[in-house]
Amino acid sequence: MKVLGIVAEYNPLHNGHLYHINKAKQETGADAVIVVLSGDYVQRGELAAANKWIRAESAIKNGIDAVFEIPVYACLSNASVYASTAIKLLAATGVIDVISFGSESGNLKELTEIVYNLNDLRIGERISELSKDGHSYPRARAIAYEELFGSNSDEALSKPNDTLAIEYIKAHSALKNSNIALHTVKRESSGYSAAFDNRMRFQSASGIRQAIRDGIGVSDFMPEDSFQYMKANSAVIRDRIDDNLFNLVRYALLNLSSDEIDEFPQGGEGIGAKLLKAIRISNSIDELIMAAKSKRYTYTRISRLLMQIVLGIKRTDFGEIDPGYFRLLAANETGRKLIRKAKNEELNKLPILTNINREAHKLQIFAKKQLLLDVKAADTYNILAMNDMYKESDRVKSPTLL
């Protein structure tokens, strides 16, 4: 059996995702698909539109065979840590043959060449110079690469899916003794954060989220189950969640000094002082981020920093460390067969968790710390989303088996 691995957020799952799943299976000849999924918080530093259990079940209903959670420390880290953690997880299953990801270019050879060129020492030196001039790291890298290797590369380094694809390739190249192949599918139609446009074949996840909030029909662009759980998340509910989050962020910030804020992974370079000044004149999360945003501090970086502060993810606690376990969220019979195969043949490099109350004590200390943070993050999500604190607790929930 040939097994395909995918890194995803499915926030929410839409027809563009289904296109990627089916196209990747067709082109790679895969018989099964395993996904590692961002949990209750996504890489842009936001709460997921639905919790991880709902999105994992939706994935199983729409062509995926098993879903594991990406630990929250990685989901709220920069693209490099996120991609590295996700690729390590897929590789550690012991059953993945090929990893597929979407990209704007659809050109694996070109993206791989960019990764190779990024190892040039001159790139790092130029990035440092540009950063001192106030450029954000992504922009400094794009400028440095364009100066050294040509203009076409700047486009790949500025588009979100190509940028993440580059990080996946870099993480894959760092794997030891791996026979896993890479595959990419060219992204069709709407870009990653494009506004909703019903003339397009596919819509972006952010476009769909905003359209639903604005009362625009999106059912033609999503599988039915995904549409139903998003439909239940009304604009009134989202506004209350946003208010809850803003109040929690305000409380957390007012209990920190600027130096303490700079200790978080996305902190540093004086962002703490800017946030403490901005919090007193802001009336929403978006206003706060926009007030602190600059050429150096991107919106996404600040957004991730705020969530790191809320959850207490310090740089000294969670740096670039390896994941310590697999947390199974959902699986069908094919997925369960693959998990049994991995266990029986001792292929998996990490323990597979299905009941954390029984299994957590067996983990190494660093892995227990990751798991406790995941549990805390889920509890915080449930408070903010006004979910039942007991029924939706990570200590009560179990994998969805279909």
Side-chain angles (χ1 to χ4, degrees):
M1 179 181 289
K2 190 171 187 179
V3 184
L4 174 70
I6 293 175
V7 183
E9 292 189 326
Y10 297 154
N11 184 41
L13 185 71
H14 55 66
N15 291 353
H17 295 130
L18 299 185
Y19 172 81
H20 173 234
I21 295 166
N22 294 326
K23 188 78 170 174
K25 286 181 72 174
Q26 175 190 349
E27 292 185 350
T28 63
D31 307 293
V33 187
I34 291 177
V35 161
V36 288
L37 184 78
S38 297
D40 294 329
Y41 305 80
V42 295
Q43 233 264 306
R44 286 179 59 82
E46 301 170 350
L47 299 180
N51 71 42
K52 59 196 177 190
W53 305 101
I54 292 173
R55 289 181 292 119
E57 181 176 348
S58 179
I60 298 299
K61 290 178 177 177
N62 290 282
I64 303 302
D65 298 296
V67 179
F68 294 98
E69 179 181 8
I70 302 172
V72 69
Y73 81 86
C75 294
L76 293 175
S77 294
N78 60 38
S80 178
V81 174
Y82 176 77
S84 176
T85 304
I87 296 299
K88 286 174 182 176
L89 279 171
L90 287 173
T93 63
V95 297
I96 298 292
D97 298 295
V98 57
I99 295 172
S100 180
F101 44 82
S103 62
E104 283 90 0
S105 72
N107 190 326
L108 185 60
K109 182 179 179 181
E110 177 185 289
L111 293 170
T112 303
E113 182 180 352
I114 290 174
V115 171
Y116 175 80
N117 288 339
L118 284 172
N119 291 322
D120 191 306
L121 294 177
R122 295 173 297 170
I123 287 280
E125 293 170 357
R126 185 63 179 132
I127 289 173
S128 296
E129 294 171 359
L130 291 164
S131 296
K132 289 176 183 177
D133 290 337
H135 290 284
S136 66
Y137 177 81
R139 186 61 192 142
R141 185 174 71 167
I143 293 172
Y145 195 105
E146 182 179 4
E147 289 176 354
L148 289 169
F149 298 106
S151 58
N152 290 338
S153 55
D154 176 57
E155 193 170 319
L157 286 165
S158 62
K159 291 187 174 180
N161 286 277
D162 276 353
T163 299
L164 203 49
I166 287 167
E167 296 298 339
Y168 292 143
I169 295 168
K170 186 169 73 173
H172 173 267
S173 68
L175 294 176
K176 295 179 180 178
N177 304 317
S178 175
N179 293 319
I180 298 174
L182 290 180
H183 172 267
T184 190
V185 173
K186 182 176 175 61
R187 188 181 179 95
E188 298 286 336
S189 301
S190 294
Y192 179 80
S193 58
F196 185 83
D197 182 350
N198 60 17
R199 296 170 298 178
M200 304 293 286
R201 180 184 176 192
F202 300 124
Q203 305 298 326
S204 69
S206 59
I208 287 174
R209 293 195 300 272
Q210 188 58 50
I212 290 174
R213 197 161 188 167
D214 294 338
I216 299 172
V218 298
S219 59
D220 290 343
F221 302 96
M222 308 170 67
E224 178 63 19
D225 65 291
S226 183
F227 170 68
Q228 289 301 329
Y229 75 65
M230 286 298 294
K231 183 181 176 183
N233 229 343
S234 69
V236 173
I237 293 174
R238 292 305 309 177
D239 286 344
R240 287 181 62 192
I241 292 172
D242 288 348
D243 288 342
N244 290 344
L245 177 58
F246 181 55
N247 286 330
L248 187 54
V249 166
R250 282 199 290 188
Y251 176 79
L253 283 175
L254 292 176
N255 281 279
L256 295 170
S257 68
S258 59
D259 288 341
E260 288 172 326
I261 292 172
D262 288 341
E263 293 176 5
F264 291 87
Q266 295 288 278
E269 302 175 308
I271 187 64
K274 291 200 71 171
L275 281 172
L276 291 180
K277 181 179 179 180
I279 195 65
R280 300 187 181 279
I281 59 171
S282 303
N283 295 303
S284 69
I285 284 286
D286 188 63
E287 283 188 17
L288 172 62
I289 295 173
M290 292 305 295
K293 181 178 178 292
S294 68
K295 187 166 68 170
R296 172 174 288 181
Y297 313 122
T298 64
Y299 189 102
T300 301
R301 175 181 170 180
I302 298 171
S303 185
R304 284 198 294 259
L305 172 59
L306 294 177
M307 297 311 302
Q308 290 171 350
I309 290 170
V310 165
L311 297 177
I313 304 175
K314 292 288 188 71
R315 185 181 288 115
T316 52
D317 295 332
F318 298 95
E320 292 196 40
I321 56 177
D322 292 338
Y325 52 84
F326 294 110
R327 181 86 185 279
L328 181 67
L329 299 179
N332 60 17
E333 182 54 37
T334 299
R336 295 199 290 279
K337 286 180 180 177
L338 284 170
I339 292 169
R340 286 195 294 270
K341 173 184 171 69
K343 286 182 173 180
N344 292 339
E345 299 180 20
E346 298 183 346
L347 300 173
N348 54 302
K349 307 295 192 299
L350 296 171
I352 299 172
L353 307 184
T354 56
N355 184 324
I356 61 173
N357 300 311
R358 286 202 312 258
E359 300 156 340
H361 72 279
K362 301 176 184 177
L363 297 176
Q364 296 183 48
I365 293 175
F366 82 96
K368 284 182 183 177
K369 197 170 185 178
Q370 291 176 12
L371 181 60
L372 286 173
L373 178 62
D374 284 347
V375 173
K376 175 185 175 181
D379 284 342
T380 305
Y381 180 92
N382 288 327
I383 291 172
L384 294 170
M386 299 163 290
N387 293 336
D388 187 297
M389 281 292 291
Y390 176 74
K391 291 181 180 178
E392 299 299 324
S393 168
D394 265 22
R395 295 196 179 277
V396 174
K397 299 285 284 186
S398 58
T400 300
L401 304 177
L402 299 178

